[in-house]
Amino acid sequence: MSVTASASTQPPDAPKHATSLVINKLRKEYRAGQPVLHDVSLTIEGRGLTAIIGPSGTGKSTLIRCINRLVEPTSGEILFRGQDIVRLNRPELRAARRHMGMIFQEYNLVERLSVIENVLCGRLGYVPAWRAWLRWFPPSDIERAFQLLEAVGLADFATQRADQLSGGQRQRVGIARALMQEPQLVLADEPTSSLDPKTSVEIMELIASRAAERNIPAIVNMHNVELARRFADRIVGMAKGAIVFDGPPHTLKDSHLLEIYGGEGWLE
Ligand SMILES: Nc1ncnc2c1ncn2[C@@H]1O[C@H](COP(=O)(O)OP(=O)(O)OP(=O)(O)O)[C@@H](O)[C@H]1O
Ligand SMILES: [Mg+2]
């Protein structure tokens, strides 16, 4: 075995499955010496929906944003598709991010663009920059964007401006945009927090079914424990920047919820 200690992006212990994700001792300090994530380790297998629950301020968003480096990790490894995401330079990171679809709580749509254009934004990582600037997409992309809008129930809204949509409709566009990337991993940060209970269920159903259909894993931060139980294959409970529960929904007991939510620290 050669031990080239250079900045290799092909760690020898890279996951076997193309879409598994291995997080090793991930630490994040926004302020030096004050870790928000305490050396978190987590392996996400190549499929299934993992819900991350935990009190406000416990580091759920930080964790999910470290995975695509919207937040820069302080130390640790994030192995995905045979690469350590933490070590990638900008062009490599840009390429790696194409494989991660992100769904946001506040949708992050371009309000003045049409629904279909917002979906096509999912291709921006693929088309040359000048084309993207001109909003020029190949017909096959446009066709696929329409198919995805159909799949999320918004076929009739393609040419409407995003700012004319309800929250639930916006999130459907957000999901279609993420799927437009043909992701191998879906990351969602509280995708239903701004939505009514019925719409929340529909949106979770959509995320779970689309990820299952593509046979890729989804990691979803959520506050609603009942929704997590209903849609997740696995629940990860965080408290104060560490994982304190990890298991299938039926093993999550009240005692665990007490441990996850019951402390005083999360009130800060
Ligand atoms: N950009 C930042 N700069 C400094 N501190 C930050 C920053 N972002 C988050 N934090 C801090 O990191 C901690 C974890 O925040 P994070 O947003 O990850 O929590 P969360 O679990 O997602 O909370 P919520 O459920 O409210 O979304 C909090 O104490 C927060 O104040
Ligand atoms: Mg958050």
Side-chain angles (χ1 to χ4, degrees):
M1 270 270 150
S2 72
V3 202
T4 39
S6 63
S8 163
T9 52
Q10 298 284 339
D13 52 350
K16 303 288 177 285
H17 194 288
T19 57
S20 347
L21 176 77
V22 180
I23 298 171
N24 272 333
K25 296 191 177 166
L26 179 66
R27 172 176 288 253
K28 174 61 185 176
E29 300 174 356
Y30 289 103
R31 275 178 288 271
Q34 297 177 26
V36 162
L37 293 179
H38 296 264
D39 298 350
V40 167
S41 294
L42 180 66
T43 296
I44 304 283
E45 297 304 337
R47 58 185 66 85
L49 192 146
T50 300
I52 301 183
I53 61 169
S56 199
T58 204
K60 303 181 299 296
S61 295
T62 302
L63 174 61
I64 225 161
R65 285 164 176 264
C66 278
I67 295 171
N68 58 9
R69 274 179 55 193
L70 287 178
V71 165
E72 284 295 339
T74 302
S75 61
E77 285 181 326
I78 299 169
L79 307 176
F80 181 59
R81 293 171 51 86
Q83 293 182 310
D84 182 358
I85 298 291
V86 178
R87 292 191 192 181
L88 300 183
N89 63 29
R90 281 285 138 187
E92 289 169 339
L93 178 60
R94 188 164 183 266
R97 277 180 177 161
R98 289 178 190 165
H99 303 288
M100 303 181 186
M102 181 88 171
I103 298 167
F104 299 87
Q105 178 180 355
E106 296 300 340
Y107 326 120
N108 284 20
L109 303 184
V110 185
E111 296 287 318
R112 64 189 169 76
L113 293 186
S114 68
V115 164
I116 193 80
E117 285 171 313
N118 269 280
V119 177
L120 282 162
C121 284
R123 292 299 285 181
L124 289 185
Y126 291 94
V127 296
W130 63 271
R131 272 198 181 185
W133 183 248
L134 288 174
R135 294 195 245 136
W136 230 53
F137 293 92
S140 56
D141 281 357
I142 293 169
E143 193 177 321
R144 180 163 159 71
F146 274 107
Q147 283 168 0
L148 284 168
L149 277 183
E150 182 121 22
V152 300
L154 281 183
D156 295 340
F157 292 81
T159 57
Q160 252 184 52
R161 271 172 61 128
D163 56 10
Q164 296 171 349
L165 301 182
S166 71
Q169 290 168 335
R170 278 164 201 240
Q171 195 56 294
R172 287 171 189 274
V173 178
I175 293 168
R177 179 183 56 190
L179 296 173
M180 190 72 202
Q181 277 178 254
E182 299 186 29
Q184 300 203 333
L185 171 69
V186 169
L187 303 171
D189 196 357
E190 296 190 32
T192 65
S193 292
S194 311
L195 304 174
D196 70 62
K198 176 170 169 282
T199 308
S200 296
V201 167
E202 290 166 0
I203 290 296
M204 282 309 298
E205 243 159 25
L206 205 50
I207 294 172
S209 64
R210 297 298 119 177
E213 179 185 84
R214 299 182 61 86
N215 209 19
I216 59 171
I219 306 175
V220 185
N221 283 347
M222 45 205 308
H223 276 297
N224 186 324
V225 175
E226 285 320 304
L227 268 191
R229 282 191 206 275
R230 182 163 163 189
F231 288 101
D233 301 292
R234 175 182 180 185
I235 295 182
V236 170
M238 288 182 68
K240 297 178 188 167
I243 294 173
V244 296
F245 174 84
D246 186 353
H250 70 272
T251 61
L252 180 72
K253 305 291 181 222
D254 285 355
S255 58
H256 299 120
L257 290 176
L258 218 62
E259 190 181 358
I260 296 166
Y261 292 102
E264 293 165 355
W266 65 274
L267 288 169
E268 287 163 10

